[in-house]
């Protein structure tokens, strides 16, 4: 009896050991899997919270790529907003109400650009002698009358050659040049020369008016100042001998206009001030400076200048005294 009972107990014990081992392995496996799942879920929660923090979204992000796209979009939107603010400020600056001239503040009344060429030394000397002056007389014109006068020229197509060196040497002696390094001095570059001249002087001097003339024109400074004094309260003025010149469509013609087909009847330009001398106010010079990269130029500088103001709220003043070659008496300019 005792032997059989002992054998029975051993049999039961042997059968329970594998079951117990299986239960223990299963328990450990369950705990391991549960731990991994919990860790994975925590990682997902962490990543989602980080993406939400970076993107600023109230809802969960699904993919990192989506979050990066949102961030890039927001950066571009901020850049666009900054550019819009800059453009608004530029527009306000370019079309601000004009100030009254106050000589005590050393604000120039007028900046005159006398367009010249490499072969214009004789004309330049005549201009200096006739009305512009040199040395102390040039400085007196600026300090006492608020007029800054400078010759305007570009650079030689062969940069640094004898032509450039000649102008540089003359300028060291007279100090009365504006040298436009980005302009090649050539007849077909004159429209670009005019545009960059106005942009340059508007940035350098905050004057009431800016004028373009030529080195073969005598300017009556007192007469010119009297005309401008009457226009001080007008914020955007364009003054000159207004005309509608003929459009020449024949290639090889001295005044050939490549864009002849753009002008109405293809025979005449719109109204513009003759290139002998014309004046624009500070706001218009600032407009040219701000928009220089977008302003279209035509074959002639005076036509180009007139085209820049079409569509703007500008007062065009047809002043007969600016018609240097045709006004009978009292003109503020004449040929030298």
């Amino acid at each position: 009896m005792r032997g059989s009972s002992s054998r029975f107990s051993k049999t039961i014990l042997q059968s329970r050991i594998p079951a117990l081992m299986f239960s223990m392995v299963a328990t450990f496996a369950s705990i391991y899997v549960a731990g991994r799942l919990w860790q994975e879920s925590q990682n997902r929660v962490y990543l989602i919270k980080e993406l939400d923090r970076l993107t600023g979204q109230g809802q969960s992000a699904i993919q990192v790529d989506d979050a990066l796209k949102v961030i890039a979009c927001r950066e571009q939107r901020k850049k666009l907003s900054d550019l819009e603010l800059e453009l608004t400020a530029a527009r306000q600056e370019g079309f601000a109400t004009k100030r009254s001239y106050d000589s005590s503040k050393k604000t120039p009344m007028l900046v005159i650009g006398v367009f010249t060429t490499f072969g214009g030394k004789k004309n330049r000397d005549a201009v200096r002698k006739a009305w512009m002056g040199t040395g102390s007389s040039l400085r007196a014109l600026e300090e006492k009358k608020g007029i800054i006068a400078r010759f305007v020229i570009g650079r030689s197509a062969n940069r640094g050659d004898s032509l450039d060196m000649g102008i540089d040497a003359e300028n060291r002696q007279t100090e009365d040049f504006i040298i436009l390094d980005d302009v090649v001095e050539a007849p077909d570059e004159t429209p670009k020369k005019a545009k960059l001249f106005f942009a340059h002087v508007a940035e350098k001097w905050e004057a009431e008016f800016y004028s373009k003339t030529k080195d073969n024109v005598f300017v009556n400074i007192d007469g010119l100042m009297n005309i401008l004094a009457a226009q001080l309260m007008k914020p955007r003025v364009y003054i000159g001998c207004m005309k509608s010149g003929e459009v020449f469509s024949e290639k090889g013609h001295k005044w050939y206009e490549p864009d002849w087909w753009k002008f109405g009847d293809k025979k005449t330009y719109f109204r513009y001030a003759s290139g002998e001398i014309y004046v624009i106010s500070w706001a218009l010079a600032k407009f040219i400076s701000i928009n220089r990269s977008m302003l279209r130029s035509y074959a002639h500088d005076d036509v180009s200048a007139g085209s820049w103001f079409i569509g703007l709220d500008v007062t065009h003043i047809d002043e007969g005294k600016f018609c240097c070659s045709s006004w009978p008496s009292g003109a503020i300019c004449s040929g030298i």
Side-chain angles (χ1 to χ4, degrees), residues 42-74:
Q42 290 300 307
N43 289 338
R44 288 176 179 273
V45 169
Y46 173 76
L47 289 174
I48 289 172
K49 286 182 178 179
E50 283 297 298
L51 291 175
D52 287 344
R53 181 179 65 81
L54 292 173
T55 61
Q57 302 294 317
Q59 56 187 11
S60 297
I62 299 175
Q63 296 180 356
V64 175
D65 287 345
D66 294 335
L68 294 177
K69 289 177 182 178
V70 172
I71 294 171
C73 182
R74 289 192 167 189

Side-chain angles (χ1 to χ4, degrees), residues 117-182:
T117 62
F118 290 118
K121 179 65 165 61
K122 184 177 180 180
N123 283 359
R124 290 192 293 273
D125 288 340
V127 167
R128 292 179 181 118
K129 184 177 180 180
W131 64 270
M132 186 169 152
T134 58
S136 59
S137 59
L138 180 64
R139 289 191 294 273
L141 187 66
E142 179 176 343
E143 295 170 0
K144 295 181 179 180
K145 295 190 176 183
I147 299 174
I148 297 171
R150 298 289 188 273
F151 293 107
V152 183
I153 196 167
R155 286 296 189 183
S156 170
N158 301 312
R159 184 64 65 92
D161 64 7
S162 60
L163 295 176
D164 280 346
M165 290 189 291
I167 291 297
D168 290 337
E170 184 178 346
N171 190 37
R172 284 193 295 271
Q173 181 180 1
T174 60
E175 297 182 342
D176 57 3
F177 278 87
I178 292 174
I179 301 175
L180 301 173
D181 290 328
D182 294 331

Side-chain angles (χ1 to χ4, degrees), residues 16-32:
R16 286 181 176 177
I17 289 175
L20 181 60
M21 292 295 295
F22 178 79
S23 296
M24 291 177 63
V25 171
T27 300
F28 288 142
S30 298
I31 293 173
Y32 174 77

Side-chain angles (χ1 to χ4, degrees), residues 212-226:
K212 178 263 175 181
T213 188
K214 298 180 179 181
D215 64 5
N216 60 353
V217 172
F218 170 85
V219 179
N220 181 337
I221 292 296
D222 292 334
L224 176 59
M225 294 295 279
N226 289 336

Side-chain angles (χ1 to χ4, degrees), residues 214-269:
K214 298 180 179 181
D215 64 5
N216 60 353
V217 172
F218 170 85
V219 179
N220 181 337
I221 292 296
D222 292 334
L224 176 59
M225 294 295 279
N226 289 336
I227 292 175
L228 297 183
Q231 309 300 333
L232 273 173
M233 300 309 295
K234 298 176 182 177
R236 294 172 295 276
V237 294
Y238 174 37
I239 311 171
C241 179
M242 298 292 172
K243 63 179 184 178
S244 297
E246 183 178 354
V247 177
F248 293 95
S249 59
E250 301 82 12
K251 288 186 178 181
H253 193 283
K254 180 180 179 180
W255 308 114
Y256 171 62
E257 172 59 70
D259 290 317
W260 58 270
W261 57 275
K262 293 182 180 179
F263 299 97
D265 59 4
K266 304 176 184 178
K267 296 180 180 179
T268 54
Y269 291 109

Side-chain angles (χ1 to χ4, degrees), residues 113 115 194 197-198 210-214 275-279 301:
F115 279 33
F197 159 69
F198 285 119
Y210 303 85
S211 175
K212 178 263 175 181
T213 188
K214 298 180 179 181
E276 289 180 307
I277 183 171
Y278 59 88
V279 176
D301 68 283

